[in-house]
Amino acid sequence: MSPAASTVTVIGGGTMGRGIAVASLVRTPAAVWLVETADGLREELARGIAADAEARGAHGAGSRLSVVGSLAETPEAELIVEAVPEIPELKHRVLREAEGRLAAGGILASNTSSLSIASLAAALERPGRFLGMHFFQPVPDTVLTELILHDGVDGQAVEAAERWTAALGREAITARDVPGFATSRLGLAIGLEAIRMLEEGVASAEDIDRGMRLGYQHAVGPLRMTDMVGLDVRLAIAEYLAEHLGPRFEPPQLMRDMVAAGRLGRKSGRGFFDWAE
Ligand SMILES: NC(=O)c1ccc[n+]([C@@H]2O[C@H](COP(=O)([O-])OP(=O)(O)OC[C@H]3O[C@@H](n4cnc5c(N)ncnc54)[C@H](O)[C@@H]3O)[C@@H](O)[C@H]2O)c1
């Protein structure tokens, strides 16, 4: 299915869903529907996403964007990307409902950072059309999409996911369906170790990050990246990986304390760094 004259539905208008909607408007001619259940967010999302997409050259993007409060309001779509919080029961419920909105030949994808794709697929009636499409943020400025394949996925669904990845201007890597896949596992390991080093007073947050940027050529330091992803998001991933891959992913106490105190990183204005501006 070509992205021309097609529909992309994104579920969840947080850090990732917002970026996926912008990238879809900028890179494809598709009509884009965003489902966000938080009442207070939808107006700002519609305005902000359209403005961002237009600033990136998608003229008239606002006319192709609809932000609604439920999946029942959306038309059938050729690509549906789920980007709700990393809570298995929530994802199961949302994916089951989303399956009913798929157009013929369409694919359903989860943007989960770590959860087993096979276990999410198990809740579906047509698991062959479902796979993991893991985006990176900021979505419109990054080029990678990690495709995660479970044993029951159809070859045609994989081909469709590859076509959509290319249409969105992205490059794909393919990973086996193991918790944390190929990217989150490694990215998180570095982030957790950086937090433990901060806890132990090895160096300041700024210097830990500068060390990795200047010494190891990382584009963004591990603590700033944790702030950008969201400490709450990374905590949920760490807990899941600790349960499935072992105690090396056990979240540091500092991370738990910061999440409990609402210091979630960029989205709350403060994490390891000050994001108030
Ligand atoms: N933050 C990152 O850098 C990052 C990167 C890759 C993947 N992910 C994954 O993407 C997913 C979303 O992460 P995020 O950082 O965007 O989370 P977020 O908390 O910023 O946003 C989630 C949004 O989903 C909305 N929501 C909750 N229930 C909903 C429902 N039933 N229907 C529609 N909307 C609903 C919430 O109101 C919120 O706006 C998670 O699975 C996460 O692991 C995150």
Side-chain angles (χ1 to χ4, degrees):
M1 168 63 65
S2 137
S6 58
T7 297
V8 174
T9 296
V10 181
I11 313 170
T15 309
M16 297 306 292
R18 185 184 181 110
I20 296 166
V22 170
S24 303
L25 288 166
V26 172
R27 292 293 189 157
T28 80
V32 176
W33 289 72
L34 176 65
V35 182
E36 169 56 60
T37 45
D39 290 335
L41 289 182
R42 286 193 290 276
E43 213 169 290
E44 193 283 321
L45 278 171
R47 225 183 8 252
I49 290 171
D52 192 354
E54 297 208 8
R56 293 169 187 272
H59 300 299
S63 64
R64 284 190 285 128
L65 172 68
S66 310
V67 182
V68 295
S70 70
L71 264 164
E73 296 167 73
T74 64
E76 290 191 339
E78 280 73 25
L79 172 65
I80 303 181
V81 183
E82 168 277 307
V84 301
E86 197 82 334
I87 303 168
E89 307 74 47
L90 173 64
K91 288 198 187 275
H92 281 139
R93 183 163 53 76
V94 166
L95 288 169
R96 262 197 308 271
E97 194 183 346
E99 196 176 24
R101 311 306 303 151
L102 269 184
I107 56 168
L108 174 61
S110 174
N111 185 48
T112 177
S113 304
S114 61
L115 303 179
S116 157
I117 297 299
S119 77
L120 295 177
L124 301 176
E125 276 176 23
R126 288 165 294 169
R129 298 166 75 182
F130 172 71
L131 77 170
M133 280 180 83
H134 181 207
F135 292 79
F136 294 78
Q137 66 138 323
V139 180
D141 299 320
T142 55
V143 295
L144 177 65
T145 297
E146 184 177 25
L147 301 180
I148 303 112
L149 311 182
H150 62 100
D151 287 345
V153 69
D154 292 344
Q156 281 177 343
V158 178
E159 283 169 20
E162 287 168 349
R163 277 199 301 278
W164 274 106
T165 302
L168 287 163
R170 309 184 74 82
E171 293 186 28
I173 61 168
T174 304
R176 209 156 56 76
D177 181 26
V178 288
F181 324 129
T183 53
S184 299
R185 177 171 171 167
L186 205 48
L188 186 76
I190 296 172
L192 293 180
E193 196 56 31
I195 299 171
R196 282 191 276 266
M197 287 163 61
L198 189 65
E199 259 179 345
E200 292 167 18
V202 173
S204 67
E206 191 61 51
D207 279 355
I208 290 171
D209 270 20
R210 284 186 77 212
M212 295 311 284
R213 283 192 290 108
L214 303 181
Y216 285 85
Q217 300 190 39
H218 287 204
V220 179
L223 295 171
R224 194 168 296 273
M225 179 55 79
T226 303
D227 270 1
M228 289 168 64
V229 172
L231 272 80
D232 53 336
V233 173
R234 281 213 150 168
L235 176 61
I237 300 168
E239 285 174 335
Y240 183 78
L241 293 191
E243 189 186 334
H244 289 86
L245 298 179
R248 65 189 188 277
F249 288 100
E250 203 55 57
Q253 190 57 42
L254 176 61
M255 185 182 212
R256 292 190 187 282
D257 293 345
M258 287 175 69
V259 171
R263 280 178 58 176
L264 307 182
R266 182 165 63 182
K267 63 183 161 190
S268 72
R270 194 154 167 244
F272 297 104
F273 300 96
D274 189 358
W275 296 83
E277 287 167 18

